[in-house]
């Protein structure tokens, strides 16, 4: 991977509960300058799409951060984000339903969002809350729903991306490793484990670490 390809594999992220438009502007500017993507809160997608210095790809989140929205709410949120200008959707599954053995409901909810928008849907399964069997069932639900990618974490649960989790998830779909990745070396560890995308608030530091 050359530097441009590496940067294009980073989703530079700002999703905290106190995020302001000024915070989003900074992330958009940095993403555009470094050739990264940006992942921002849904309330700012319309402004970001109209922003003069926006990066090529703007992602946003749906059902964030706990995944407990009603299925129709998730679908409507995804459609609204796409109509506002989002290029990708990061969708949080309902972890409680998965743990209760309701994989069909989880898959149906994902499929409803996938069918509602003509843009890639990345499914956040929140690996820190799942055992190995549950991770596999979450990935199978994402595959059954025709999702484009699976993502490890929201960053709101204890624990983030790990090498074993990325290896497991990559057996099913392309993986976005998110949570706790803060350096070039850590990003490369995730890529070596099978990730194709990194989600991080430290995007600038990660790309700056690329060897000259």
């Amino acid at each position: 991977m050359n530097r441009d390809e590496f940067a294009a594999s980073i989703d530079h992220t700002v999703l905290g509960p106190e995020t302001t438009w000024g915070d989003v502007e900074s992330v958009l500017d940095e993403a555009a300058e470094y050739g990264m993507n940006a992942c921002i809160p849904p309330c700012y997608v319309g402004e970001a799409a109209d922003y003069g210095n926006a990066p090529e790809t703007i992602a946003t989140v749906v059902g964030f951060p706990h995944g407990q929205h009603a299925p129709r709410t998730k679908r409507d949120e995804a459609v609204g984000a796409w109509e506002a200008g989002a290029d990708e959707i990061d969708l949080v599954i309902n972890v409680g339903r998965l743990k209760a053995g309701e994989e069909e409901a989880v898959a149906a909810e994902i499929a409803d969002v996938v069918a509602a928008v003509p843009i890639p849907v990345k499914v956040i399964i929140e690996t820190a809350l799942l055992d190995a069997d549950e991770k596999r069932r979450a990935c199978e639900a994402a595959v059954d729903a025709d999702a484009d990618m699976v993502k490890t974490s929201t960053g709101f649960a204890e624990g983030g991306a790990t090498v074993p989790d990325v290896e497991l998830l990559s057996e099913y779909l392309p993986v976005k490793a998110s949570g706790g990745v803060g350096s070039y070396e850590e990003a490369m560890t995730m890529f070596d484990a099978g990730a194709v995308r990194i989600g991080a608030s430290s995007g600038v530091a990660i790309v700056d670490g690329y060897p000259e």
Side-chain angles (χ1 to χ4, degrees):
M1 230 185 323
N2 62 36
R3 186 188 182 282
D4 289 345
E5 292 168 336
F6 179 78
S9 299
I10 308 298
D11 288 3
H12 191 33
T13 302
V14 58
L15 292 170
E18 297 178 342
T19 298
T20 66
W21 169 244
D23 298 327
V24 173
E25 272 187 310
S26 295
V27 163
L28 294 173
D29 288 340
E30 291 167 346
E33 179 183 354
Y34 280 76
M36 298 181 288
N37 315 304
C39 186
I40 65 172
C43 62
Y44 296 118
V45 168
E47 291 163 273
D50 292 335
Y51 186 60
N53 195 34
E56 185 173 339
T57 300
I58 297 172
T60 194
V61 289
V62 165
F64 198 82
H66 300 308
Q68 295 172 321
H69 300 50
R72 181 172 179 174
T73 300
K74 288 184 176 179
R75 183 194 66 206
D76 291 348
E77 187 177 14
V79 170
W82 164 58
E83 291 177 342
D87 302 297
E88 296 179 348
I89 298 293
D90 289 20
L91 169 69
V92 188
I93 67 164
N94 189 315
V95 173
R97 290 205 181 277
L98 181 79
K99 283 184 167 292
E102 300 175 42
E103 294 87 38
E104 291 184 4
V106 174
E109 182 177 275
I110 300 168
D112 200 23
V113 171
V114 169
V117 294
I119 55 177
V121 175
K122 306 190 285 289
V123 177
I124 309 174
I125 69 171
E126 202 67 282
T127 50
L129 302 180
L130 306 178
D131 63 28
D133 178 65
E134 290 166 340
K135 292 167 192 172
R136 291 190 178 280
R137 289 193 281 118
C139 289
E140 288 164 1
V143 170
D144 290 345
D146 202 25
D148 295 275
M149 194 177 294
V150 284
K151 175 179 169 181
T152 56
S153 316
T154 61
F156 282 77
E158 290 188 12
T162 67
V163 166
D165 284 342
V166 171
E167 291 174 341
L168 186 155
L169 270 56
S170 66
E171 296 176 20
Y172 295 89
L173 285 170
V175 177
K176 176 178 173 179
S178 184
V181 182
S183 69
Y184 168 79
E185 291 77 16
E186 290 169 345
M188 286 307 302
T189 297
M190 295 301 159
F191 285 131
D192 289 343
V196 300
R197 191 81 69 85
I198 301 294
S201 59
S202 304
V204 170
I206 291 170
V207 178
D208 275 342
Y210 188 90
E212 293 296 335

